[in-house]
Amino acid sequence: MFKINDNYLKLPGSYLFSTIAKKVAAYGEAHPDAQIIRLGIGDVTQPLAPAIIDALHGAVDEMADAKTFHGYAPDLGYEFLRNAIAKNDYQDRGCDISADEIFVSDGAKCDSGNIQEIFSVDNKIAVCDPVYPVYVDTNVMAGRTGVYDPAAGTWSDVIYMPCTAENNFTPELPKETPDIIYLCFPNNPTGTTITKDQLQVWVDYANKVGAVIIYDAAYEAYISEEDVPHSVYECEGARTCAIELHSFSKNAGFTGTRLGYTVIPKDLKCGDVMLHSLWARRHGTKYNGAPYIIQKAGEAVYSEAGKAQLKEQVAYYMKNAKVIYEGLKEAGHTVFGGVNAPYIWLKTPDKMTSWEFFDYLLEKANVVGTPGSGFGPSGEGYFRLTAFGSYENTVAAIERIKHL
C-alpha cells in the first residue's frame, strides 16, 4: 500500500493566512453588512504601473505572431531580464553578481520554500523569532525540524533567535551552531532593519562556522534610511556564504502576475560542489520558467519610466505606513516598524493575546490584521498591520481603531 510523507502530519493547524481567511469569511457571512477593511495579508492594492502594462501588451502581441512567439523559457530565465537585474540590483550598488548567477522564478515564496531541497535533511536551521512561516513549515515538511512542542510553539531541532523589543527586534548570534541561517531584512513581520555593519557580523560568522545564509530581501525597495543594506552582497565575503531571494511582488505589484528570482554565487560551495549547480539542476528538472510576457513586464521594472512610477507606488504605501504608525501612537499603542518596511508591528493592549486582539479588532472595528503568535512564540502579544491597502481604507481603519 502507498505511504504518505507523514512529516505533513506534524504541521500544527493550517497555514497562518489560510486560518485568517477562514475566520474573516465566517465573520463576513454572519455579519453581511459589515464593511471589513483588510490590513492583514501583505497583498498590494495599486494597479500595475503604466510602463509594466505597456510591456505586457507588447509581449502579448509578440505571442500572437509566429515570428516573435516564445515557448519554454530558458532554465535560468531570459537573458534580457537577468542582465537588467544584475546591473540594477547588484552591479550599480557595487555588488559582484553576474547575470548567470541569477535564477528567475515565479516568486520568492516558492523559492524560499524550495531552496531547502538542495540541503541534507541533517542540516540544522536557525530562524528569527518571529519569522515568516514558510521558512519553518517547509523544513517541517522535509523532516528537518524534529518534534513539535505545542505548549512552547517550538520545534526541537530548530534554533530560535528571539527578536524582541529588548534587542530592537534584531537577532543575536546563536549559542548553538546552525548549518542554515534564515534572515529577512527589512523584516517580515516586525518591519525592522539592521545596518550594514550588523549584517557584516552575520556574514563573517557564517563563513567562520561554515553555515549558509538564506537572505530574503523581498522588501528592500522600501528602505529609506542610509546604512541599511539592500543586499547581503554589499557585505565582504557574502559570495561564499549567502543565497539571496528577491520578489517583484512588493516593489512592483506582481502578487497576481508572479515573478521573483534567487541569486546563488558560484563561489558558494560545499566542499567542491557548487550550490549554484545543485539549484540549476533542481530548477531545470522541476520548473519550466516564468512566462515570457511576465519576464518582459519584469524588464520594464528597470526602465527609467518603470523606476519613476514604482518609486511613486512605494511612496504611496509608505504614506499609508506613516498613517498607521502615527495613528496607533496617537491612540496610545506601542508601535515598531513602518519606516523602512510596509509593516507595522504593535504591542497588543491590555495583555490581550495576539488572537484575542485579532478577534477584538475584527468584531469591534471590522479591521483585519495578523496575530503575532502566528509568526512564532516571540510574536505572542504583538500584532502586524500592513500598509498595502488603499489610502482611503487605511485612514478609515485607523480612525476606527482610535475610537475603540
Side-chain angles (χ1 to χ4, degrees):
M1 181 177 176
F2 69 86
K3 297 179 181 179
I4 61 168
N5 178 355
D6 58 9
N7 289 311
Y8 278 69
L9 304 180
K10 299 176 184 177
L11 289 164
S14 61
Y15 182 55
L16 171 63
F17 296 105
S18 299
T19 301
I20 291 171
K22 289 174 185 175
K23 288 175 75 76
V24 174
Y27 182 86
E29 287 179 15
H31 305 84
D33 295 328
Q35 299 296 309
I36 298 173
I37 298 177
R38 292 168 171 80
L39 300 180
I41 192 169
D43 194 2
V44 296
T45 53
Q46 295 302 294
L48 294 172
I52 295 169
I53 292 295
D54 288 345
L56 280 170
H57 282 301
V60 168
D61 289 341
E62 287 184 63
M63 297 297 277
D65 187 333
K67 295 176 182 176
T68 52
F69 173 80
H70 291 267
Y72 291 126
D75 282 358
L76 272 68
Y78 284 100
E79 193 171 323
F80 60 76
L81 178 56
R82 290 186 290 112
N83 284 337
I85 292 168
K87 179 182 185 302
N88 290 275
D89 289 347
Y90 295 102
Q91 292 160 10
D92 285 356
R93 290 178 176 149
C95 302
D96 180 21
I97 295 296
S98 60
D100 64 356
E101 295 175 317
I102 295 165
F103 296 81
V104 176
S105 71
D106 58 358
K109 178 179 180 179
C110 296
D111 286 353
S112 67
N114 293 331
I115 194 68
Q116 53 79 28
E117 287 189 24
I118 67 173
F119 297 100
S120 165
V121 74
D122 297 331
N123 284 295
K124 199 152 194 176
I125 69 167
V127 297
C128 295
D129 173 31
V131 71
Y132 181 46
V134 171
Y135 306 155
V136 175
D137 286 0
T138 52
N139 277 283
V140 174
M141 294 170 180
R144 196 176 282 116
T145 55
V147 178
Y148 184 66
D149 181 346
T154 58
W155 295 88
S156 61
D157 291 343
V158 173
I159 300 169
Y160 291 89
M161 302 180 291
C163 298
T164 64
E166 288 70 33
N167 61 12
N168 296 315
F169 300 101
T170 57
E172 298 169 4
L173 295 177
K175 293 181 176 63
E176 184 181 356
T177 304
D179 301 299
I180 302 169
I181 303 165
Y182 287 83
L183 296 177
C184 174
F185 292 106
N187 185 258
N188 177 18
T190 66
T192 54
T193 57
I194 58 176
T195 66
K196 182 178 177 181
D197 286 345
Q198 287 175 307
L199 184 55
Q200 185 67 58
V201 170
W202 283 96
V203 169
D204 293 343
Y205 171 78
N207 277 317
K208 178 182 177 182
V209 302
V212 171
I213 295 172
I214 298 177
Y215 193 80
D216 188 344
Y219 302 95
E220 63 82 19
Y222 292 83
I223 293 171
S224 62
E225 294 182 321
E226 295 293 329
D227 201 33
V228 175
H230 289 256
S231 168
V232 69
Y233 301 115
E234 293 177 37
C235 295
E236 186 177 349
R239 283 185 56 86
T240 56
C241 70
I243 293 170
E244 187 161 281
L245 312 175
H246 265 260
S247 170
F248 284 73
S249 290
K250 305 307 193 295
N251 69 320
F254 278 53
T255 53
T257 45
R258 308 308 303 147
L259 189 65
Y261 65 87
T262 289
V263 178
I264 305 186
K266 293 181 180 178
D267 295 343
L268 180 51
K269 298 179 180 180
C270 178
D272 294 328
V273 179
M274 291 194 305
L275 269 60
H276 182 279
S277 300
L278 297 183
W279 187 241
R281 187 67 170 89
R282 192 263 174 207
H283 213 60
T285 301
K286 290 191 173 185
Y287 184 63
N288 260 344
Y292 172 75
I293 60 173
I294 303 301
Q295 294 198 45
K296 287 299 288 185
E299 182 186 29
V301 166
Y302 300 102
S303 67
E304 290 307 311
K307 289 177 183 178
Q309 292 161 9
L310 293 178
K311 187 176 181 180
E312 289 181 8
Q313 206 164 82
V314 166
Y316 177 95
Y317 291 129
M318 290 311 292
K319 182 180 178 182
N320 289 349
K322 186 176 181 180
V323 167
I324 297 171
Y325 184 93
E326 293 183 350
L328 292 174
K329 292 276 281 187
E330 203 175 302
H333 291 280
T334 302
V335 192
F336 308 91
V339 176
N340 295 294
Y343 294 125
I344 292 82
W345 188 244
L346 66 141
K347 191 169 180 58
T348 56
D350 304 322
K351 297 184 179 180
M352 287 187 191
T353 68
S354 299
W355 280 107
E356 286 172 347
F357 189 62
F358 174 91
D359 292 334
Y360 175 73
L361 269 193
L362 180 59
E363 292 169 11
K364 302 298 183 183
N366 295 163
V367 172
V368 178
T370 308
S373 60
F375 298 100
S378 291
E380 181 56 87
Y382 289 89
F383 201 76
R384 191 192 77 173
L385 292 174
T386 85
F388 288 122
S390 69
Y391 178 73
E392 294 75 19
N393 278 348
T394 301
V395 170
I398 296 307
E399 287 302 311
R400 292 182 193 180
I401 294 173
K402 281 182 178 180
H403 288 92
L404 291 176

